[in-house]
Amino acid sequence: MKYQYKFEKILTLKEREKDEALATYQKAVKRFENVAEELYQLLKKKEDLVEFQAAKLQTGFKVQEIRHYQRFIANLEISIKHYQELVINARTQMNWCEQQLQEKNIEMKKYEKMKEKDFERYQDLLKEIENKQADEISTRSYFHHTGN
């Protein structure tokens, strides 16, 4: 008597859903990291540019160059604001994907636990059958030896 779990297809489906949720979560994490890295680079570029401009102001700077750097910094600030929004969105998406992954893990664990309990019942049933067969064999053997 071979063991077969009646919800094996559902367990397989839940496992696949969990794997897909994990892949989606990993993509969301990667996207968040990429966007956050880009934001960091823009902030660093702005910081370096502000420091460079401050140093140049100490030694003398043409008005035209000041305007040029101010426009560049203003454009950087627009880009920074855009990337801050992207980071917020990416973080939100990543958190949502993480929650979905956790839910899929919990669901799969439930089915795995059900399978474990079902397998334990199956083993108990096998032991019961074996015990009945052993009892029957010993009863037959006893009656066979006593001559009845």
Side-chain angles (χ1 to χ4, degrees):
M1 190 165 147
K2 185 179 176 206
Y3 174 74
Q4 186 167 354
Y5 182 49
K6 59 186 170 186
F7 298 122
E8 190 66 42
K9 288 182 181 180
I10 294 173
L11 179 60
T12 302
L13 175 68
K14 296 299 178 188
E15 205 169 328
R16 191 174 322 125
E17 287 175 355
K18 182 206 62 128
D19 291 344
E20 288 171 2
L22 176 62
T24 302
Y25 172 68
Q26 288 172 335
K27 285 179 189 174
V29 168
K30 188 71 174 158
R31 181 174 178 269
F32 171 76
E33 288 172 347
N34 290 341
V35 173
E37 177 64 26
E38 188 64 33
L39 175 60
Y40 172 78
Q41 293 301 327
L42 288 170
L43 289 168
K44 182 72 174 134
K45 188 182 289 188
K46 178 185 172 191
E47 180 185 329
D48 291 346
L49 193 56
V50 168
E51 287 176 9
F52 173 77
Q53 188 178 17
K56 282 296 243 177
L57 284 172
Q58 296 294 327
T59 61
F61 217 19
K62 294 180 183 175
V63 173
Q64 184 179 353
E65 287 178 333
I66 293 173
R67 285 187 186 146
H68 170 74
Y69 283 107
Q70 287 299 340
R71 278 193 306 271
F72 194 72
I73 289 172
N75 287 336
L76 272 176
E77 287 173 348
I78 291 169
S79 294
I80 287 168
K81 184 175 180 182
H82 174 70
Y83 271 90
Q84 285 172 333
E85 291 172 10
L86 290 178
V87 165
I88 290 168
N89 292 338
R91 179 181 289 121
T92 301
Q93 179 70 23
M94 180 182 69
N95 290 339
W96 184 84
C97 289
E98 182 180 27
Q99 182 181 358
Q100 295 300 307
L101 176 60
Q102 288 171 349
E103 289 174 13
K104 297 297 180 188
N105 270 329
I106 289 168
E107 235 178 286
M108 198 182 91
K109 295 275 189 221
K110 286 178 186 176
Y111 278 93
E112 286 176 338
K113 194 69 171 169
M114 287 171 50
K115 182 177 181 177
E116 286 174 22
K117 288 182 179 183
D118 188 62
F119 185 69
E120 288 172 9
R121 283 192 297 272
Y122 168 77
Q123 287 180 317
D124 290 344
L125 178 65
L126 281 183
K127 285 179 187 173
E128 189 178 315
I129 291 170
E130 286 175 9
N131 288 341
K132 283 182 182 178
Q133 287 175 344
D135 286 348
E136 194 175 305
I137 290 171
S138 65
T139 303
R140 283 185 187 167
S141 176
Y142 174 75
F143 282 119
H144 181 68
H145 286 309
T146 59
N148 289 341

